[in-house]
Amino acid sequence: MNSIHRRSVLLAGLGAAGAGTLAACTSDSGTTPAALVDPSGPAVAAAEKQRKGTGRTHQVTLTAAPAVLDLGAGITAKSWAFSGRAPGREIRLTAGDTLAAELSNQLPDRTATSLHWHGIALRNDMDGVPPVTQRTVRAGANFTYRFIADAPGTYFVHPHVGVQLDRGLYAPLIVDDPREPLSYDDEWVVVLDDWVDGVTGTPDEVLAELRQGMGGMDMDGMDMGEASAPPSGGMSMRFMLMGAESALLGGDAGDVKYPYHLVNGRVPADPEVYRGRPGRRVRLRLINAGGDTAYRVALGGHRMTVTHTDGFPVEHQQVDTLLIGMGERYDVLVTLGDGAFPLVALAEGKDATGMALVRTGSGAAPKATVRPKELDGRMLTASELRAADDVRLASRKVDRVHRVELSGGMAKYNWTVNGKAFDMDDPAAHPLTVEEGQRVRLDFVNSTQMWHPMHLHGHTYQLDGGGPRKDTAVVLPKKKLSVVFDADNPGRWMLHCHNAYHAEVGMMALVAYRD
């Protein structure tokens, strides 16, 4: 069987038995690891009962189906999307509300799917990760995700099957704080995305090309100048990006050549327009839903005050520009000037941009290629932020330490964790185990030549030394990043690179609670 389809066929097979949660997550031998908490077990139910709920239920339906998407400027893309639009319609509720979200899978070719609620610390069996926490939702079937969302913040929803993330199947999820401490006049949710599907190919075709590796070249032994050379062996180069370099990202900026970079689903030549009034204070909720691109974001003529990252408040800092890796979110406040201003998302190291327009008065719209000077101004990365007092983890002894070595490279395109590719046939084979109530430290050690945004499901961790609370953090090449979290949400949780292609070939691990 072609390796590109192994995972999707496995998951479709699981889905054929019907959508729903797994009674037990089994290995190939058919035995259940008795030492690990079951995703639908009593420990998960007990943790859910401890969540403070409002008693209100917010009901939505997400229909995953083929769609012809209008990207603007006469450009259309045949893709998959929720209810015919990308990003999907914003889901908004108040902290403590129960979300009842029905997924209706109308995807073609018997394609199975799921929904992962990125950044939400929710009950384990609703996390949407086949085959770890549920069976896939087979084509033609429905499944309802039901959970309490008790932490306010900026989140999003996307599939967790194959490389479906790199199609149009995503939507912002906003959990409002009933005691919102920030003062502002309006909000604008801004979703960034790198786009290939239905334009130059599909994400599955991108993955198939990447899996060929660099045609036998030893990328990990090369410097970045050599990396811009074409691969040997006459390999197809439709999608692989060569020579993308960024000092901010420590070298190689990305693998994939995207024809477009979108802001709220639009190309720069025909951007979305936010209309406001001068002097008004606006909260921007920035979400990077991309598959392979970090964005440097700036609003021309303005400075931004950073208030949150990955849903959690930070000590406020004023900046000109932000670096946002895949899966990361930042909230910023801006006070609008008078005129027309470009919100630019520079694809870091890729010499391309996405753009939206902020208009508060008269004046010509900036060109699609505009690069505001703020992009080269004061830059902020997550390591320079500090958690706000009310969300900073209490000081305590670490009970469990796990070394998480990020390994592999472009030569064979074999991205791994601790030297092993995640085994979808036996997901509990090599768990990083924790016990409820422990303080856990993860030491990310990046032995590769590339950066990796590492995402932990079901929890937020804190960057070492009082840094921000996050669920996704960039680990630079040849660097170590330590994070700590409290094991307060029992279950089996994925830990993976949020580069869609790195994760799919194996840069994932299981963080599992002992029963």
Side-chain angles (χ1 to χ4, degrees):
M1 181 185 296
N2 188 322
S3 61
I4 186 173
H5 295 304
R6 183 189 68 80
R7 179 179 179 188
S8 57
V9 170
L10 163 70
L11 297 178
L14 280 169
T21 57
L22 292 173
C25 297
T26 59
S27 66
D28 282 347
S29 65
T31 59
T32 302
L36 302 183
V37 165
D38 186 271
S40 298
V44 172
E48 183 70 1
K49 284 184 178 179
Q50 297 301 311
R51 299 188 202 280
K52 295 179 180 177
T54 62
R56 295 188 301 263
T57 298
H58 187 80
Q59 295 184 321
V60 298
T61 298
L62 291 98
T63 301
V68 178
L69 301 172
D70 177 10
L71 307 183
I75 300 163
T76 58
K78 291 182 178 180
S79 186
W80 301 341
F82 294 129
S83 302
R85 51 185 287 173
R89 193 177 305 277
E90 173 189 303
I91 302 168
R92 187 176 284 261
L93 60 159
T94 299
D97 288 354
T98 294
L99 181 64
E102 182 181 37
L103 168 62
S104 175
N105 182 1
Q106 304 300 323
L107 296 176
D109 304 322
R110 297 184 177 181
T111 301
T113 191
S114 73
L115 294 180
H116 168 58
W117 307 91
H118 182 108
I120 297 282
L122 76 178
R123 57 178 299 147
N124 190 218
D125 53 5
M126 294 291 113
D127 195 40
V129 181
V132 175
T133 65
Q134 71 168 99
R135 301 182 189 279
T136 51
V137 181
R138 58 183 171 80
N142 291 13
F143 179 74
T144 298
Y145 294 85
R146 183 181 294 270
F147 56 88
I148 295 172
D150 61 353
T154 302
Y155 307 100
F156 69 116
V157 58
H158 62 78
H160 220 280
V161 174
V163 287
Q164 292 178 10
L165 167 67
D166 219 15
R167 296 184 187 258
L169 293 168
Y170 55 87
L173 170 62
I174 309 301
V175 182
D176 285 321
D177 189 341
R179 297 177 297 278
E180 178 59 63
L182 294 181
S183 174
Y184 51 92
D185 302 303
D186 197 12
E187 278 193 23
W188 185 25
V189 177
V190 177
V191 183
L192 314 174
D193 193 21
D194 41 19
W195 195 272
V196 66
D197 194 39
V199 179
T200 54
T202 69
D204 287 331
E205 291 171 336
V206 173
L207 180 63
E209 182 179 304
L210 292 174
R211 281 187 187 274
Q212 298 177 53
M214 293 304 300
M217 292 196 307
D218 182 10
M219 286 296 295
D220 281 340
M222 299 168 60
D223 65 30
M224 291 310 297
E226 292 172 294
S228 60
S232 58
M235 188 183 105
S236 161
M237 287 286 288
R238 287 174 63 200
F239 307 111
M240 188 179 287
L241 182 65
M242 305 299 296
E245 298 179 41
S246 164
L248 269 176
L249 295 173
D252 189 357
D255 302 333
V256 181
K257 189 189 308 177
Y258 288 96
Y260 300 113
H261 295 272
L262 309 181
V263 178
N264 287 348
R266 308 289 292 183
V267 296
D270 190 3
E272 176 177 270
V273 180
Y274 172 85
R275 299 185 185 276
R277 295 203 301 272
R280 283 174 64 89
R281 201 176 200 206
V282 179
R283 178 181 190 165
L284 275 63
R285 296 180 183 263
L286 303 165
I287 301 169
N288 185 350
D292 177 74
T293 307
Y295 290 101
R296 193 191 305 203
V297 179
L299 177 59
H302 294 74
R303 302 201 84 199
M304 303 181 290
T305 299
V306 181
T307 64
H308 295 72
T309 180
D310 292 1
F312 279 70
V314 297
E315 294 180 355
H316 293 189
Q317 289 206 43
Q318 197 171 64
V319 300
D320 296 302
T321 185
L322 281 170
L323 181 70
I324 310 180
M326 297 84 76
E328 288 189 292
R329 294 90 62 211
Y330 282 88
D331 291 19
V332 302
L333 293 175
V334 296
T335 301
L336 298 179
D338 187 359
F341 307 96
L343 178 75
V344 174
L346 174 68
E348 183 64 27
K350 295 186 175 183
D351 194 30
T353 56
M355 188 188 81
L357 183 63
V358 173
R359 181 173 287 284
T360 63
S362 59
K367 293 182 179 179
T369 54
V370 65
R371 303 278 177 100
K373 62 181 175 55
E374 285 80 6
L375 289 170
D376 298 313
R378 189 193 172 206
M379 160 68 67
L380 186 79
T381 57
S383 61
E384 299 167 85
L385 290 168
R386 288 187 60 80
D389 288 343
D390 58 339
V391 299
R392 190 172 297 133
L393 292 181
S395 180
R396 58 174 282 197
K397 179 179 72 70
V398 170
D399 303 299
R400 180 70 57 93
V401 178
H402 283 293
R403 177 185 170 93
V404 183
E405 183 173 356
L406 311 178
S407 42
M410 288 294 291
K412 299 178 181 177
Y413 210 77
N414 59 339
W415 306 104
T416 59
V417 172
N418 291 336
K420 296 182 178 68
F422 188 75
D423 186 353
M424 297 299 297
D425 297 321
D426 192 4
H430 303 286
L432 306 174
T433 60
V434 301
E435 294 177 20
E436 191 168 2
Q438 287 184 329
R439 170 66 57 87
V440 182
R441 190 178 85 222
L442 303 176
D443 291 335
F444 294 113
V445 180
N446 186 353
S447 64
T448 79
Q449 297 277 9
M450 192 164 181
W451 67 285
H452 303 285
M454 295 303 296
H455 174 51
L456 175 62
H457 289 209
H459 304 76
T460 60
Y461 47 64
Q462 183 168 313
L463 273 60
D464 227 7
R469 292 281 300 277
K470 290 179 65 63
D471 54 69
T472 310
V474 170
V475 187
L476 294 174
K478 305 300 182 181
K479 300 292 185 183
K480 175 182 173 181
L481 177 70
S482 293
V483 303
V484 293
F485 69 94
D486 287 333
D488 56 7
N489 196 17
R492 304 184 192 188
W493 303 101
M494 294 309 304
L495 173 67
H496 64 91
C497 178
H498 222 269
N499 182 308
Y501 300 95
H502 293 186
E504 179 61 8
V505 300
M507 191 172 266
M508 299 196 286
L510 188 70
V511 174
Y513 283 63
R514 289 189 179 276
D515 204 351

